[in-house]
Amino acid sequence: MRLAGFGAFAAGVTLLPVLFPDNYFVTVVGVSAGLHVILAVGLNLLIGYAGQISLGHAAFFGMGAYASAILTTRHAWPSLLAMAAGLLIAGSIAWLLARPILRLRGHYLAMATLGFGIIVHVVMVQATGWTGGPDGMAGIPPLNLLGWEVDGDRRWYGVVSAAALLTIWLSLNIVDSRVGRALRAVRGSEFAAQMMGIDAAGAKTQAFVVSALFAAFAGSLFAHQQAFVSPDSFSLMVSVDLVIMVVLGGMASTFGAAFGAIALTLLNEGLVVFEDYEMLIHGALLMIVMIFLPQGLFVGLSQVGRRLSAVFYCQTEKR
Amino acid sequence: MKSKVWKTILASTLLLAGVQPAGAADPIKLGSFLAVTGPASFLGDPELKTLQMLVEEINAKGGVKGRKIELVHYDTGGKAQDAVGFVKRLIRNDQVDILVGGTTSGDTLAVIPEVEKAGIPLVSLAGAIEIVEPVKEWVFKTAHTDRMAAAKIFEDLRKLGLTKVALIGGDGGFDKSGHEQLLKLAPDYGISIIADESYGNKDTDMTAQLTKIRASDAQAVINFGFGQAPAIVTKNMKQLGIDLPLYQSHGVASKTFIELAGEAAEGVRLPAAALVVAEQLPDTDPQKPVLLDYKKRFEAKYGPVSTFGGHAYDGLMIVVAAIERAGGPDKAKVRDEIEKTHGFIGTAGVFNMGPEDHMGLNLDAFKMVEIRGGAWKIVN
């Protein structure tokens, strides 16, 4: 089932640009959807599986982006090395932060991660010498994969979808591993998990670091793809949007998170034409989903589908 | 089972991707991305209204070269990252012929790489000198630069024989860029900066900084900024009894500033576009009829005019004239024709562009005005 889902997803991703080679919604929106998939799948490990909220995830996304931006433009580092540096920075900060911050629960954890996100955002705005301040940094060189320059929409589509598929595959494997089971146990009851001999703090730290790494990875790709970064892209609203993606798609489901990311990206892109009503429609849709499909769109819809087919199956049986 | 669900999802995604507006051949497509909401909305809002009004009028008269203009607009909210996204969308999805926009310098500077790569003419409505210096092949602008404002202020100081000035400014992009130009130009005018204070644009009291200025022997104060902060500086100076000439930037050339600063605004000087003092211009001024005409049309439709809408007027009219000369919306030809704009009388001044100058305004485009009795008065 898991492999079938992954296969279908991969096939869809590969088929789209073949069917619509120069479609804006595939090669441009598709790329940002892909980046959101990486972010949401990573965050889902933390929120969905480990049951820990993070309202500051855009901070890690921003660290990856700014590391790539600063190191490649100002210090002429090769882009892969800069990406590695970004991963290292985000990963170590997440690791240092994890122990103290993940001791908190519920609202307190939400507040702490929120504060962290805001601090990082303030640094991006104020450290003008490094980050270019509120106006951001332009002219970031294209991503260079060992001599192959990722330039142009279709190449970006290829790279980002490959990266997104890789993260989905990684996440599926983590979830079904010992670590994944430990995480789910921690989410169920931290106390019970500890009684079973699970290192709860260690499991939570791992989830936090891995999701930070995913975010920094997406950030690095984002910086090269946009060729421009500014603090706006890593604000509190972005963190909230990421949580919405995970919740919208369905928590504790890797495909759910990916689906939520794609759905929200397409929604935002589609709503742009409504200008003044954009936020209204956005909010209303979220409310409707949360009321009628509280498990999230993907999980909810697949349950509805299952129920429908069960009904259908019963009827054919009767005949 | 899950794969069945996936197939449905895939099918719907494919359907969604397939729905896109057909590339209509007939109208000339004009793309714009302005900050209609957000902190720069007081700039972007009149700009968009101006574009909409003009496009409507041009289409009512039969369009350009017999083709109607279609305006495709997205609101950036003053977020540069969004501007980049929208410009991509305008170029690839909406396939516009020409771009007018970028309300703020941040928005414009962020999209320049994309615009240059795509090879599409862009007429920016933002201020920073970096937009056209060094000259970029496809990028033009119609708004006055901060360097011109700084030069105009220093010119006025020199006329009055004042040489020692104090600067005070905010922490925004506009403030900082203006500050930099003031520092750069001061030596050319023989002016020494003896105090240099800054505040946060959201601060509500600047008396601490102004007290320091009072203690210095400055002969005049220059406050480069926009929004609420300059009005607070103006008020605080009055409250502290600092009796020095106060210069503001063109960023406050709107009625709102006079309303916010109230009585304290009396005597404040600033470089402003001719639009705010259109009625006071001598009848011989070639700009006067253009200004009064634009003002009348805008005010009949929307209410009080602002210089920022004027930048959109200039941008669109330059583009329309260029399309007419080029005989159609061919990108490269229109670019060449925009560059050849000569003697175009706009609201910001008389434009004379060239391969080395993609703005085409000189210092005469600014008038030094003083606030007297709650209204703008030209000073000579």
Side-chain angles (χ1 to χ4, degrees), chain A residues 1 4-5 8-9 12-13 16 19-20 23-26 28 126 128 134-135 138-139 151 153 222 225-226 228-230 232-233 255 259 262 266 269-270 272-273 275 298 301-302 306 309, chain B residues 1-6 9-10 13-21 36-37 48 73-75 78-81 84-86 88-90 92-93 106 109-110 113-114 117 171-173 176:
Chain A
M1 193 60 79
F9 192 77
V13 166
L16 274 176
L19 291 173
F20 310 99
N23 189 309
Y24 167 80
F25 281 93
V26 176
V28 180
Q126 294 295 335
T128 322
D135 291 339
D151 203 1
D153 294 343
F222 175 79
Q225 190 255 337
Q226 293 276 307
F228 171 82
V229 288
S230 78
D232 290 336
S233 314
F255 286 119
F259 180 70
I262 295 169
L266 287 176
E269 196 64 36
V272 160
V273 266
E275 278 202 49
F298 181 76
L301 283 178
S302 31
R306 216 166 293 168
S309 57
Chain B
M1 203 85 61
K2 233 178 198 169
S3 57
K4 211 180 242 169
V5 177
W6 271 110
I9 291 161
L10 190 71
T13 323
L14 287 174
L15 260 172
L16 205 82
V19 182
Q20 59 155 344
V36 182
T37 56
L48 178 61
H73 172 264
Y74 297 116
D75 175 14
K79 289 184 219 146
Q81 200 87 56
V84 175
F86 288 137
K88 279 188 186 171
R89 184 170 171 143
L90 285 167
R92 319 243 173 110
N93 188 44
L109 290 169
E114 190 66 39
K117 207 163 68 187
D171 58 356
K176 281 183 178 164

Side-chain angles (χ1 to χ4, degrees), chain A:
Chain A
M1 193 60 79
R2 187 158 60 84
L3 269 181
F6 186 74
F9 192 77
V13 166
T14 357
L15 261 175
L16 274 176
V18 180
L19 291 173
F20 310 99
D22 276 314
N23 189 309
Y24 167 80
F25 281 93
V26 176
T27 50
V28 180
V29 181
V31 172
S32 62
L35 292 171
H36 286 149
V37 166
I38 302 176
L39 286 162
V41 166
L43 189 59
N44 180 47
L45 286 175
L46 186 70
I47 297 183
Y49 288 103
Q52 311 294 314
I53 185 92
S54 169
L55 286 179
H57 228 59
F60 295 115
F61 181 40
M63 281 178 203
Y66 270 104
S68 276
I70 294 170
L71 292 174
T72 53
T73 36
R74 303 236 166 103
H75 305 282
W77 280 34
S79 41
L80 279 183
L81 203 61
M83 182 187 280
L87 290 174
L88 190 70
I89 295 168
S92 359
I93 291 180
W95 184 75
L96 285 173
L97 216 66
R99 289 275 166 157
I101 220 174
L102 292 178
R103 292 171 71 100
L104 305 169
R105 292 210 184 116
H107 306 313
Y108 303 102
L109 179 62
M111 287 302 291
T113 51
L114 184 83
F116 169 67
I118 291 173
I119 291 169
V120 173
H121 187 251
V122 168
V123 171
M124 287 170 189
V125 174
Q126 294 295 335
T128 322
W130 287 358
T131 63
D135 291 339
M137 285 177 76
I140 300 165
L143 183 67
N144 193 320
L145 294 173
L146 311 168
W148 187 64
E149 254 189 20
V150 187
D151 203 1
D153 294 343
R154 261 182 269 178
R155 282 187 182 187
W156 266 114
Y157 181 85
V159 169
V160 171
S161 17
L165 287 171
L166 176 75
T167 38
I168 291 178
W169 183 75
L170 274 176
S171 163
L172 288 172
N173 277 296
I174 292 174
V175 167
D176 264 358
S177 70
R178 197 185 55 77
V179 182
R181 285 190 293 275
L183 285 178
R184 267 173 287 179
V186 168
R187 186 186 55 167
S189 160
E190 205 173 321
F191 191 62
Q194 275 171 333
M195 286 298 109
M196 289 191 293
I198 290 168
D199 175 11
K204 285 198 284 185
T205 308
Q206 276 172 336
F208 196 61
V209 171
V210 169
S211 69
L213 288 176
F214 278 25
F217 178 50
S220 188
L221 291 174
F222 175 79
H224 287 295
Q225 190 255 337
Q226 293 276 307
F228 171 82
V229 288
S230 78
D232 290 336
S233 314
F234 315 109
S235 65
L236 172 63
M237 268 319 289
V238 179
S239 291
V240 173
D241 263 352
L242 293 176
V243 175
I244 293 175
M245 284 173 194
V246 173
V247 178
L248 182 75
M251 282 198 272
S253 158
T254 301
F255 286 119
F259 180 70
I262 295 169
L264 204 67
T265 314
L266 287 176
L267 182 67
N268 283 342
E269 196 64 36
L271 288 182
V272 160
V273 266
F274 295 101
E275 278 202 49
D276 299 344
Y277 303 102
E278 188 183 345
M279 291 314 276
L280 273 178
I281 302 173
H282 193 160
L285 280 175
L286 283 180
M287 271 166 64
I288 292 169
V289 169
M290 283 301 105
I291 292 169
F292 294 104
L293 293 168
Q295 320 90 312
L297 264 183
F298 181 76
V299 179
L301 283 178
S302 31
Q303 275 174 2
V304 170
R306 216 166 293 168
R307 223 171 293 155
L308 279 181
S309 57
V311 170
F312 184 70
Y313 186 70
C314 285
Q315 279 172 347
T316 43
E317 281 284 273
K318 271 180 211 159
R319 258 179 242 157

Side-chain angles (χ1 to χ4, degrees), chain B residues 80-99:
Chain B
Q81 200 87 56
D82 288 3
V84 175
F86 288 137
V87 162
K88 279 188 186 171
R89 184 170 171 143
L90 285 167
I91 295 173
R92 319 243 173 110
N93 188 44
D94 303 314
Q95 298 182 345
V96 297
D97 300 300
I98 284 121
L99 290 167

